[in-house]
Amino acid sequence: MIERIYLKDFLSFKEVEMELDKGLVVFTGPSGAGKSVLMQSILSLFAITDSKPSLGEVSLVNSKIEDEAYDIEKDDDIIIKQIKKDKVRFFLNAQSISKKNLNSFSKKLIKHLHLKDTSDFDSKKLITFLDSLCTKNNKEFKSLKEQFDEEFKELEKTRKELAKIKEDELKLEDLKEFAKFEIEKIESINPKVDEFEELDSIKKKLSRKEKIEEAIKLASPIFDYTSHVNSALELLDEDSSFFDESINELNNIFEKFNDSLYELEELDIETVLDRLEKLSGLQKRFGSIEEAIAYKEEKQKELDGYENISFEKSILEKNLKKLEESISVLVEKISSYRKEAVVVLVKKINHYLKYLYLSNATITLEKKELDHTGIDEVIFELNGVNLDTISSGEFNRLRLALLTSISEFEIVNNGILFLDEIDANLSGKESSAIATVLEKLSENYQIFAISHQPQLTSTADIHFLVDKKDGISSVKKLDDKSRVDEIARMISGADITEDAYTFAKNLLEKRV
């Protein structure tokens, strides 16, 4: 139960502090005063909606929640704080907590029912609830569902792989021909690593061959004068070994070139240039000879894979059949547990419907094509009629019965319900019916509701007026006399009539 709420600086509100008790808490007030803003701001303290106030604090007592991670025991009081500056920060009993974790924590205690959301009867949403109910009531169901989830993922994966193979099969010949063409194109050149650099070096030598030959021819007469140089050095009493070594080194260089010249003469320059051109083409396409060779090997693997495609296909088909057989057994078991949960849910819904002047809600599970939820499709009817054909009033009352029933299973006893404009656009009879249900619910839950009708408002245990003056919104707890005035305003408008005042007084007296 929420014992105290404090909010500061949120839209038209400057500061709000509310002391609360158990039961039904109702907010009323003129249109545009800020009732929905106030409700959203309270919910933001639990990380259920986006943060509104710059500072907020909520105190809870008798929550019946245990949380080992935050050292909270069943009888502990809980204080949640929210600070909004550059970013929003949350604290749970003085410990920092992320918005995501606070949201998960709050869902054990808080349920926000907003009737504008029309997805409550969505089959997949109801299946999710039925599964959570089955999990609570039966340990075997949890393991069945986990096994189904795992196997269904594997089924989807296998189906995709098999579809890919079947698609490849249709264009298999084209794929094989393309792979062969790419392999043969590279193999016809048969490139070697570093071959391009070697041939490029030879090309450069060939391009300078004549110039080198001419230069050596002009320089060769130096060898005819070596004896004269040695004689001169001998007469000078100088050691001629340095000169002999130099002449010998020079002679070796010239002879080495002449030897390579014989090899070059055996090469066909056109062949070298043609080879360089082909290797250059591979480098331009693949970036390097190494990458061209790697591409050829990759295509060879693809080709080998195409040859093995029939074998892979047969394995996948066997795995798929095995998975389908296993899942078929699982979904039938899961469906039987869901049907048991449906009986529990329908009983609870019809319990509330009798207070709402409705009856005979039925839920059946029909088989549908297998998907990630299984084979069950939820069909919801009222008095044997599809929900598309019932009136909006009936629809809203049925939805309230569904939501309140679900709330009993999803949040702890002594939890908290938030109802946003629960009785908007309803007749007096419908509003009275909803008031009856909420009054009954408030015996076990603390309920916060925005009301537009005197019937629900008169049943409140605590009544707050939300008003706005000069652009500033305020929240005021009403005493008995003020409640009569406010309910009379709701009945007749700003100009309160004597009849409205009398009717308001009678409503509150019935409550007592």
Side-chain angles (χ1 to χ4, degrees):
M1 180 190 88
I2 298 176
E3 187 177 52
R4 175 180 171 271
I5 296 172
Y6 176 78
L7 299 161
K8 185 175 182 180
D9 294 333
F10 57 106
L11 299 179
S12 57
F13 292 86
K14 293 298 181 186
E15 190 172 43
V16 170
E17 184 168 11
M18 292 179 281
E19 300 291 335
L20 302 158
D21 206 339
K22 63 183 181 179
L24 177 61
V25 180
V26 169
F27 299 100
T28 66
S31 296
K35 298 183 292 296
S36 291
V37 170
L38 177 63
M39 178 81 80
Q40 294 296 312
S41 299
I42 297 170
L43 287 167
S44 76
L45 298 179
F46 298 96
I48 292 170
T49 61
D50 290 335
S51 301
K52 305 286 183 187
S54 63
L55 182 65
E57 183 175 304
V58 58
S59 303
L60 300 109
V61 295
N62 303 321
S63 65
K64 309 298 182 190
I65 283 185
E66 293 179 277
D67 194 300
E68 192 175 333
Y70 292 92
D71 196 27
I72 294 173
E73 296 182 359
K74 217 169 189 179
D75 297 322
D76 287 353
D77 294 346
I78 297 170
I79 296 176
I80 299 171
K81 290 186 180 181
Q82 176 203 108
I83 300 172
K84 184 178 180 182
K85 290 183 180 177
D86 298 332
K87 63 178 183 177
V88 180
R89 296 179 67 197
F90 294 97
F91 298 89
L92 176 60
N93 282 3
Q95 295 182 68
S96 180
I97 184 171
S98 69
K99 183 177 180 180
K100 182 180 178 181
N101 288 342
L102 178 57
N103 181 274
S104 298
F105 175 85
S106 300
K107 283 180 178 177
K108 302 172 190 174
L109 180 68
I110 306 289
K111 181 74 177 176
H112 180 209
L113 313 182
H114 40 117
L115 293 186
K116 289 181 181 178
D117 180 4
T118 58
S119 67
D120 299 299
F121 295 98
D122 177 72
S123 177
K124 289 182 180 177
K125 194 169 182 179
L126 287 170
I127 286 291
T128 301
F129 168 71
L130 290 173
D131 286 352
S132 68
L133 189 55
C134 291
T135 301
K136 282 182 180 179
N137 296 336
N138 197 292
K139 290 181 180 179
E140 187 190 1
F141 180 85
K142 184 179 180 182
S143 62
L144 281 172
K145 188 64 170 58
E146 286 173 351
Q147 187 181 347
F148 167 75
D149 291 340
E150 186 179 330
E151 289 190 11
F152 185 79
K153 284 180 185 176
E154 189 62 30
L155 179 77
E156 292 282 87
K157 181 185 173 186
T158 305
R159 281 176 172 171
K160 285 179 183 177
E161 289 175 358
L162 191 55
K164 173 79 167 57
I165 282 182
K166 287 180 177 178
E167 184 184 334
D168 287 348
E169 267 187 327
L170 297 174
K171 49 185 179 180
L172 188 57
E173 287 307 315
D174 290 339
L175 290 168
K176 285 167 75 173
E177 285 303 313
F178 177 73
K180 285 178 181 176
F181 174 77
E182 292 288 273
I183 291 166
E184 288 169 5
K185 191 173 180 182
I186 297 172
E187 282 187 341
S188 66
I189 299 173
N190 193 24
K192 304 288 188 297
V193 177
D194 297 332
E195 182 185 3
F196 180 85
E197 289 75 13
E198 291 171 7
L199 289 176
D200 193 49
S201 175
I202 290 171
K203 175 189 169 185
K204 288 175 182 177
K205 285 181 181 178
L206 285 170
S207 67
R208 295 182 298 152
K209 175 176 172 287
E210 291 182 2
K211 287 183 178 181
I212 294 172
E213 284 180 320
E214 181 64 25
I216 289 175
K217 184 180 178 182
L218 293 173
S220 290
I222 192 173
F223 297 112
D224 297 336
Y225 298 99
T226 55
S227 60
H228 298 297
V229 174
N230 282 329
S231 296
L233 288 171
E234 188 178 338
L235 289 170
L236 292 168
D237 293 328
E238 293 290 339
D239 184 6
S240 64
S241 60
F242 76 93
F243 176 71
D244 293 336
E245 288 175 3
S246 297
I247 287 297
N248 286 335
E249 181 63 26
L250 181 62
N251 187 51
N252 287 336
I253 291 170
F254 286 177
E255 283 182 358
K256 186 178 178 182
F257 173 76
N258 287 328
D259 291 340
S260 68
L261 196 60
Y262 295 131
E263 293 175 8
L264 291 174
E265 284 174 351
E266 292 177 5
L267 291 173
D268 180 7
I269 185 65
E270 292 300 324
T271 303
V272 172
L273 293 176
D274 180 60
R275 183 72 179 165
L276 277 171
E277 185 179 353
K278 288 178 179 177
L279 292 171
S280 178
L282 287 178
Q283 285 184 322
K284 284 180 182 176
R285 182 179 172 190
F286 297 104
S288 69
I289 298 301
E290 289 90 338
E291 287 176 283
I293 294 170
Y295 177 77
K296 184 197 77 169
E297 291 171 352
E298 180 188 330
K299 285 294 165 190
Q300 187 61 57
K301 284 181 183 177
E302 284 184 18
L303 188 59
D304 294 339
Y306 297 142
E307 299 298 339
N308 295 327
I309 198 167
S310 297
F311 177 69
E312 290 178 22
K313 180 184 173 185
S314 66
I315 290 175
L316 284 171
E317 284 175 336
K318 285 177 184 176
N319 289 343
L320 183 64
K321 187 179 178 182
K322 189 177 177 182
L323 281 166
E324 285 175 340
E325 288 172 353
S326 175
I327 286 174
S328 177
V329 174
L330 286 171
V331 292
E332 289 295 340
K333 288 182 179 178
I334 288 170
S335 185
S336 66
Y337 280 114
R338 286 172 177 170
K339 285 171 183 172
E340 291 175 11
V342 162
V343 174
V344 175
L345 178 59
V346 170
K347 184 179 179 182
K348 183 61 68 175
I349 291 170
N350 282 316
H351 166 74
Y352 287 115
L353 285 181
K354 71 181 179 182
Y355 297 104
L356 295 166
Y357 304 111
L358 292 173
S359 60
N360 296 325
T362 57
I363 299 175
T364 54
L365 297 182
E366 293 187 359
K367 284 192 176 182
K368 64 175 176 62
E369 188 176 341
L370 178 73
D371 63 15
H372 71 280
T373 65
I375 56 168
D376 297 312
E377 182 82 23
V378 176
I379 306 298
F380 215 120
E381 291 182 337
L382 184 67
N383 290 316
V385 212
N386 190 284
L387 300 191
D388 293 335
T389 61
I390 65 176
S391 70
S392 60
E394 288 174 324
F395 185 83
N396 280 339
R397 281 179 284 158
L398 178 60
R399 190 193 305 173
L400 176 61
L402 170 65
L403 293 176
T404 50
S405 298
I406 288 174
S407 298
E408 286 200 33
F409 297 109
E410 285 190 337
I411 62 176
V412 295
N413 191 28
N414 203 39
I416 303 160
L417 300 178
F418 284 86
L419 311 173
D420 197 348
E421 304 192 18
I422 194 77
D423 59 358
N425 304 315
L426 295 182
S427 68
K429 181 181 176 182
E430 291 168 342
S431 182
S432 293
I434 285 176
T436 302
V437 170
L438 295 186
E439 188 174 12
K440 181 74 175 170
L441 273 176
S442 66
E443 294 173 8
N444 297 312
Y445 297 93
Q446 186 182 37
I447 301 175
F448 291 80
I450 294 173
S451 179
H452 294 270
Q453 301 282 2
Q455 289 84 357
L456 175 58
T457 303
S458 65
T459 62
D461 295 293
I462 302 174
H463 184 175
F464 286 99
L465 173 66
V466 181
D467 204 359
K468 183 188 277 188
K469 290 182 180 177
D470 301 323
I472 304 297
S473 295
S474 61
V475 182
K476 178 186 176 184
K477 184 176 180 180
L478 301 182
D479 57 22
D480 291 343
K481 183 180 182 308
S482 300
R483 289 188 71 188
V484 173
D485 294 339
E486 172 59 8
I487 292 171
R489 181 200 65 78
M490 295 172 73
I491 296 166
S492 63
D495 297 324
I496 300 173
T497 65
E498 189 62 36
D499 287 342
Y501 191 84
T502 302
F503 185 62
K505 202 170 181 181
N506 289 336
L507 280 174
L508 287 171
E509 284 175 355
K510 282 181 186 177
R511 164 70 173 151
V512 175

